[in-house]
Amino acid sequence: MSDEPKPDAGGMAPAAAAEKPSAIPADEMARLTDEIVGALKTVYDPEIPADIYELGLIYKVDIDDDRMVNIDMTLTTPNCPSAAELPVQVENAVASVAGVREAKVNIVWDPPWEPSRMSDEARTVLNMW
């Protein structure tokens, strides 16, 4: 399964149909997806009072048939002082979801993060209207 971010918010939206059907049953994939999103929402940028999911730092989540979860995420800036700790926190949070075998974070810089990636929830918390 591949999830791409919504253009108007941080997070995941279903991507186009995969080349082959997943070996994970649809109801189990839905549960995993919901619980992974919930886990991502427990990780906060220490400098910003909003979670990384609502900030739009998560670009893609792939759940392989063997339940390995690969996450593409970015940071608000390449010089982010939390660059070493945030990916580990994300891996630990997602790996704690029942049914996930392992989680791996890949930091990506393209496209660069910008405030338009934030959800309405993050904008409200940060008073950025």
Side-chain angles (χ1 to χ4, degrees):
M1 175 179 168
S2 176
D3 289 322
E4 297 292 335
K6 298 176 194 174
D8 61 338
M12 302 182 300
E19 292 177 18
K20 62 176 185 157
S22 174
I24 301 172
D27 59 338
E28 176 67 0
M29 185 63 79
R31 182 197 64 80
L32 279 172
T33 301
D34 290 346
E35 290 185 17
I36 288 169
V37 169
L40 292 169
K41 288 183 165 205
T42 68
V43 180
Y44 282 74
D45 184 309
E47 298 180 316
I48 304 170
D51 68 75
I52 61 161
Y53 182 84
E54 298 299 337
L55 285 173
L57 298 181
I58 303 299
Y59 284 4
K60 181 171 71 171
V61 174
D62 284 328
I63 305 170
D64 295 342
D65 287 345
D66 66 355
R67 297 169 182 265
M68 171 69 182
V69 179
N70 291 290
I71 303 153
D72 285 354
M73 72 173 283
T74 194
L75 302 169
T76 55
T77 175
N79 299 322
C80 177
S82 301
E85 64 196 54
L86 276 177
V88 173
Q89 291 176 2
V90 170
E91 286 177 352
N92 290 339
V94 172
S96 72
V97 171
V100 169
R101 180 175 62 84
E102 186 180 352
K104 172 81 171 105
V105 170
N106 306 302
I107 298 295
V108 297
W109 301 108
D110 188 30
W113 180 85
E114 60 180 65
S116 68
R117 298 192 60 86
M118 292 189 298
S119 69
D120 289 346
E121 181 179 318
R123 289 179 192 286
T124 299
V125 168
L126 299 173
N127 196 23
M128 293 183 69
W129 291 101

